[in-house]
Amino acid sequence: MSSRKVGTRRAFDAAAADFAALGRHLWEPIGAATVAAAGLGEGDRVLDACCGTGASAIPAARAVGATGVVDAIDLSGPMIGELRRLSADLPQLRAHEADATAWDTSDYDVVQSALGIFFFPDMTDGTERLIGRARSGGRAVFTIWRGGAMVAAGRHLGRAVAAVTDSAPPPEREPSLIDRVDQAGPYAEWLSGRGLSDVDVVVNELRLAMTPEIAWLVVIGSGFRGLLDDLEPGAVEQVRERYLDSLREEGVTELDATTLIGSGTVR
C-alpha cells in the first residue's frame, strides 16, 4: 500500500465518528446529489467506492430497493464499521473494508464515488479501474470538489497549527491532476478521455454556515484531521481556539463546499 494511501486511511480512521457527525451538514447533501445524478432504479447493482460512512451508499441502497445491491467499499475499517451500524436496516447494502483500485467484481449498473477519486495514488488509473467495473451501457458518476472549495478551512487550520507548534505553516500542496480538472469544462473533457460517452457535469453549489461547532467539525470530521495527528490533547484545544479566532478575525462566516458531479455512460 502506498504511503499516501496509508496516510489517508489513518486520517479517516481517526475521524470516523466525527465524519458521521459532519455528515448532515456536508457529506449527506453531497452524497444525495451524487445519487440523484446516477439516476438509480429499482433492482440496480451499484458499486460505491471510497464510501466513508455511507453518504452516497445509503441513499443508493434506498433507491435500488430490496431487489438491488450496493457494494460499498472503503479502506478505513472504522468508517466501514460506522456504515454497517448506520445501514443495519438495509440488507441490500454490503459494506466492505477494501481497496477500490483492487476491487475485481464487475458488471455493475452504476459505479459511483463521492469525493473519492482524487485520493487515488494515480487518479486517472484508479478512475479507469472503477469505470471498468461497470457493464457496457452502465453509468459512472464521480464527484469532486470545485476549485477553491474547502480552501479557507485548510488555510486557517494550517496557520493555527503553525502558531501553536511554533513551526512554519504547512507547505502548499504540489499541483496535481485534480487542480487541472476542478472546473466543469476541463472535468468533462477529462471524463470523456476515460472512455465515457454522453458526459455531463453538474455544478452542485453548497455553502456551510461556519458556526464554531460546524467550523471545528469540518476539521475533525474530514481529512484535515491529519494535521492534528501528532499533537497532544492540550495542543489540539489551543489549535481549535486559534483556528476559530482566525476565522472570526477575517470575517469568515461561510465555507464554499461546491462540488462538480460528473456522469457518463460506459461504452
Side-chain angles (χ1 to χ4, degrees):
M1 184 180 295
S2 72
S3 60
R4 181 178 180 184
K5 279 187 180 177
V6 171
T8 299
R9 184 176 67 181
R10 285 176 179 166
F12 283 107
D13 282 354
D18 295 314
F19 190 96
L22 180 60
R24 67 186 181 91
H25 305 289
L26 183 60
W27 312 127
E28 290 176 16
I30 293 171
T34 300
V35 171
L40 300 178
E42 189 84 16
D44 277 348
R45 295 180 66 247
V46 179
L47 176 63
D48 187 295
C50 310
C51 63
T53 58
S56 54
I58 289 174
R62 292 180 178 136
V64 303
T67 60
V69 168
V70 175
D71 281 318
I73 56 179
D74 200 282
L75 280 171
S76 170
M79 290 282 186
I80 289 298
E82 184 69 9
L83 172 56
R84 287 173 179 154
R85 183 186 71 80
L86 293 171
S87 62
D89 62 338
L90 295 168
Q92 65 269 37
L93 195 162
R94 306 185 301 204
H96 312 267
E97 182 181 348
D99 183 347
T101 62
W103 188 257
D104 59 5
T105 305
S106 59
D107 291 326
Y108 289 97
D109 298 298
V110 173
V111 172
Q112 63 183 30
S113 182
L115 303 176
I117 61 173
F118 44 76
F119 286 117
F120 294 150
D122 184 322
M123 180 174 157
T124 297
D125 180 69
T127 302
E128 290 177 350
R129 285 174 180 268
L130 287 183
I131 292 170
R133 301 303 93 205
R135 63 172 176 80
S136 178
R139 299 273 291 164
V141 184
F142 304 120
T143 300
I144 64 172
W145 297 115
R146 185 177 67 178
M150 305 296 284
V151 169
R155 182 174 65 251
H156 287 272
L157 177 63
R159 290 175 186 171
V161 171
V164 169
T165 59
D166 195 24
S167 60
E172 291 289 327
R173 179 174 57 81
E174 288 292 323
S176 62
L177 172 60
I178 189 61
D179 302 299
R180 301 196 296 274
V181 301
D182 61 3
Q183 300 296 331
Y187 187 38
E189 291 177 11
W190 182 78
L191 289 173
S192 296
R194 312 281 69 75
L196 297 176
S197 62
D198 304 317
V199 170
D200 182 49
V201 174
V202 174
V203 179
N204 183 39
E205 297 277 354
L206 178 63
R207 294 188 177 271
L208 293 185
M210 289 288 270
T211 64
E213 176 192 13
I214 293 175
W216 189 237
L217 269 179
V218 166
V219 172
I220 62 174
S222 76
F224 287 136
R225 190 184 185 118
L227 291 177
L228 308 177
D229 278 351
D230 298 326
L231 302 182
E232 295 295 327
V236 170
E237 176 57 23
Q238 292 178 51
V239 168
R240 187 187 72 83
E241 292 173 356
R242 284 182 176 266
Y243 165 71
L244 295 177
D245 285 346
S246 179
L247 293 173
R248 279 192 295 267
E249 288 166 4
E250 289 202 10
V252 178
T253 59
E254 63 178 18
L255 180 67
D256 180 7
T258 299
T259 53
L260 303 176
I261 305 173
S263 61
T265 301
V266 179
R267 293 192 175 100

